[in-house]
Amino acid sequence: MLPRSTGTARRAALAATAAALAFTALPATAEATPDPLTRYHRQHLSWKSCVLGADDATGKELEQAGAHCADVTVPVDYSDPGGRTLTVAISRIRATDTERRVGPLLLNGGGPGGPSLGDAPWVRKAMKDVAARYDVVGVDPRFIGRSTPLDCRWPTGSAWRGAGADRAGFDRMAAFSKNLADRCRTHAGDALPHATTRNTARDMDVVRAALGERRISYLGYSYGSYLGEVYTSMFPGRTDRIVLDGVIDPERYSARLWRGAEPSNRHALRGWASWAAARDAAYGLGRTRGEVLATVERVRVAAARTPLRLGDHRLDGHLMPIVVLNGLSQHNDAAYGDFAQGVRDMLRASRGQRVTPSPWLAGVLDFVLTGTDSPYGSAQTAIVCGDNAAPRETEVYWRDVQRSRAEDPLFAPVTNNLNPCTFWDRPRERPTRVRDDVPALLVSATGDPRTSHEGAEAVRAMWPSSRLVTLKGADQHAVYGVYGSACADGAVNAYLATGRLPARDIDCAARAGGSGG
């Protein structure tokens, strides 16, 4: 999930009341009261071209795939359905096999903060022949993408930073995080209480009803797996076939959701280092895995001492680990090569050379050091902070950073650091109690550095009626339709085609020649 959504990971390879108030049961003797959400459930959707202008690549791709787009009106506050409204943008590629049509398949590519309206075309390709039986529906969740936006006007696209090398650096990051939280109160204060996973799930149910459907199927990646867990728990009986890829353990989803991610990221870093060592002639990072890892450590120490000059940007010790984390999620030659070029650029800069960063590194630097992606980071953080309260005592984080720094000086100062949630207002609702009886198909890679395989195993144990497809030996985040496993993709497509879960869990092997950790 964090630090950055991948649009279901494709673009990176290229985060307790009852259910909706409308469904509160009435005493049998009471006179029926109109459903306050009726006007939303029965709204007429006006389908139109997805293309917004000459430079709209996403819209053009949707149009070429036969998609149309619509805006769904939902209440800002579900406790006041007669009050302010916002729009949720959706796309739809309709089923062509109408005689065997299953229904709509709603998509969420993760984040939180990631748009999914543009994902329908490539998901249909992954579905192969079974795609003809579904209306594939991409959704930009509330406050994201083409839906009504939320923008705190940040100077960055990411709230996450490393704590730095000493107490002065930690205090700078505390001030930075408080400033981001204050900006959100100033520029998006009215929206913040309503930017939550529970409200996104309520919006999903309005989309279901507005499409005229009794039930929906769902494909969610990364944070989208948590959204799927919440939706199925809040609206039982309204789902058909559920696929969760990159599975989050709901017991571990919190405002400090990076904690505990160090081992899986170290594993992924070692796997990449082995790959880079075998290509020392191309990248010059070292001829063994140990030498490559030592190069990364030298860059970390250098950035902490003096910010690295990379084009127009300066990369310091707070941000260098964020660059590394952004380089670890996709287990393939193209992504590994992009990351290796980025490390090579940082190494050259650490030696005082003038460097024009490679396209991948330039994109990450623009993301973390400019306000270009402020809406993304704003929405992501608002949802994470709106879902769960964080400890408000800064000393809690400082102690955690200090305890973990010696074992892992690269990742632990990020995963244990504070963030704007420390300074956020308390959430309005308690987290959803996730049901224990959901039949779903879970997909996970053993080396996933974003949503650990242990999380998928925990959900599998919690849901005995589910089944788990495991991609073994790959440090990969998001598998179905992304990694290229015929075994995993085939298992998902068989389930989407028949509605029957496999008789037992399935293990799939990584591609031959893939580098493990």
Side-chain angles (χ1 to χ4, degrees):
M1 47 189 307
L2 301 170
R4 186 178 192 180
S5 167
T6 58
T8 318
R10 183 183 72 145
R11 294 179 180 87
L14 306 114
T17 56
L21 300 177
F23 302 104
T24 302
L26 295 172
T29 56
E31 183 178 343
T33 301
D35 181 348
L37 295 180
T38 295
R39 70 184 181 108
Y40 301 103
H41 290 165
R42 296 182 180 177
Q43 66 185 287
H44 172 75
L45 299 183
S46 177
W47 295 97
K48 56 185 183 291
S49 170
C50 297
V51 180
L52 297 183
D55 297 327
D56 182 11
T58 297
K60 290 178 180 178
E61 186 176 359
L62 285 165
E63 185 170 72
Q64 290 170 2
H68 291 86
C69 288
D71 289 329
V72 181
T73 302
V74 299
V76 171
D77 182 350
Y78 276 85
S79 69
D80 181 21
R84 293 181 300 141
T85 64
L86 55 82
T87 60
V88 171
I90 65 174
S91 64
R92 181 178 67 179
I93 305 176
R94 304 205 70 164
T96 55
D97 186 351
T98 55
E99 292 186 0
R100 298 191 299 162
R101 178 180 178 274
V102 176
L105 175 69
L106 269 63
L107 310 177
N108 184 278
S116 295
L117 180 137
D119 289 341
W122 73 261
V123 169
R124 285 188 87 252
K125 291 178 182 177
M127 295 171 72
K128 299 186 183 299
D129 293 343
V130 74
R133 300 178 56 194
Y134 285 86
D135 294 345
V136 183
V137 180
V139 182
D140 280 356
R142 61 168 48 205
F143 304 129
I144 294 164
R146 296 189 185 185
S147 298
T148 300
L150 185 159
D151 185 2
C152 299
R153 302 184 194 175
W154 282 356
T156 180
S158 174
W160 274 259
R161 298 286 193 274
D166 53 25
R167 182 61 196 234
F170 174 81
D171 289 343
R172 283 195 300 272
M173 290 304 96
F176 173 78
S177 295
K178 184 178 185 303
N179 177 260
L180 295 185
D182 290 343
R183 284 173 180 255
C184 279
R185 288 192 189 91
T186 298
H187 299 294
D190 289 347
L192 296 183
H194 312 294
T196 67
T197 299
R198 287 176 62 83
N199 280 331
T200 301
R202 292 172 175 126
D203 294 346
M204 282 175 57
D205 203 58
V206 171
V207 171
R208 172 201 61 78
L211 291 172
E213 303 287 347
R214 288 181 53 251
R215 298 194 299 173
I216 57 171
S217 295
Y218 178 77
L219 170 62
Y221 294 81
S222 191
Y223 161 81
S225 72
Y226 179 69
L227 175 60
E229 294 160 3
V230 170
Y231 180 81
T232 56
S233 299
M234 291 178 65
F235 300 99
R238 296 187 184 172
T239 56
D240 188 354
R241 300 164 201 192
I242 303 297
V243 180
L244 307 181
D245 188 327
V247 187
I248 293 175
D249 178 359
E251 295 299 319
R252 293 184 61 86
Y253 175 80
S254 75
R256 303 187 71 187
L257 43 75
W258 265 115
R259 291 189 77 199
E262 303 97 315
S264 58
N265 280 279
R266 286 197 300 266
H267 184 278
L269 183 62
R270 290 195 300 269
W272 165 82
S274 295
W275 181 95
R279 295 158 178 81
D280 182 57
Y283 301 107
L285 302 178
R287 290 177 292 180
T288 67
R289 181 172 75 178
E291 289 178 357
V292 174
L293 293 174
T295 295
V296 174
E297 175 63 8
R298 283 198 300 274
V299 171
R300 183 193 71 80
V301 172
R305 183 173 57 245
T306 305
L308 309 182
R309 297 183 60 184
L310 293 156
D312 295 331
H313 295 303
R314 301 293 181 270
L315 184 72
D316 63 16
H318 299 290
L319 285 171
M320 183 273 177
I322 302 298
V323 173
V324 176
L325 286 166
N326 269 280
L328 300 174
S329 69
Q330 300 302 292
H331 190 149
N332 60 66
D333 287 345
Y336 276 9
D338 285 344
F339 183 39
Q341 288 179 350
V343 174
R344 183 182 61 188
D345 289 345
M346 291 189 290
L347 177 62
R348 292 172 57 213
S350 73
R351 294 169 173 166
Q353 297 174 251
R354 296 184 65 86
V355 177
T356 299
S358 62
W360 175 82
L361 181 57
V364 176
L365 295 174
D366 284 343
F367 176 62
V368 297
L369 289 170
T370 76
T372 302
D373 288 304
S374 169
Y376 173 90
S378 301
Q380 179 181 83
T381 307
I383 294 166
V384 172
C385 301
D387 282 345
N388 293 277
R392 304 183 75 82
E393 301 80 18
T394 58
E395 295 306 309
V396 170
Y397 304 92
W398 173 244
R399 288 195 298 268
D400 288 345
V401 168
Q402 291 298 86
R403 277 196 295 263
S404 59
R405 185 194 301 276
E407 181 179 355
D408 188 337
L410 178 61
F411 295 124
V414 177
T415 59
N416 291 282
N417 197 20
L418 45 68
N419 61 62
C421 298
T422 307
F423 308 99
W424 216 259
D425 294 341
R426 293 289 182 180
R428 286 194 173 186
E429 295 186 89
R430 296 178 62 85
T432 303
R433 182 181 295 277
V434 173
R435 297 169 61 96
D436 60 6
D437 60 350
V438 177
L441 188 63
L442 314 175
V443 185
S444 174
T446 53
D448 186 340
R450 289 286 186 273
T451 51
S452 73
H453 185 61
E454 288 75 15
E457 292 178 322
V459 175
R460 172 68 178 90
M462 182 177 70
W463 290 351
S465 55
S466 68
R467 295 292 182 270
L468 175 60
V469 178
T470 299
L471 179 65
K472 301 180 75 69
D475 301 331
Q476 172 69 28
H477 181 56
V479 175
Y480 173 67
V482 180
Y483 177 77
S485 168
C487 171
D489 290 0
V492 173
N493 287 338
Y495 170 58
L496 292 175
T498 65
R500 294 190 296 272
L501 289 166
R504 59 186 62 86
D505 293 343
I506 296 174
D507 288 343
C508 299
R511 290 187 298 262
S515 58

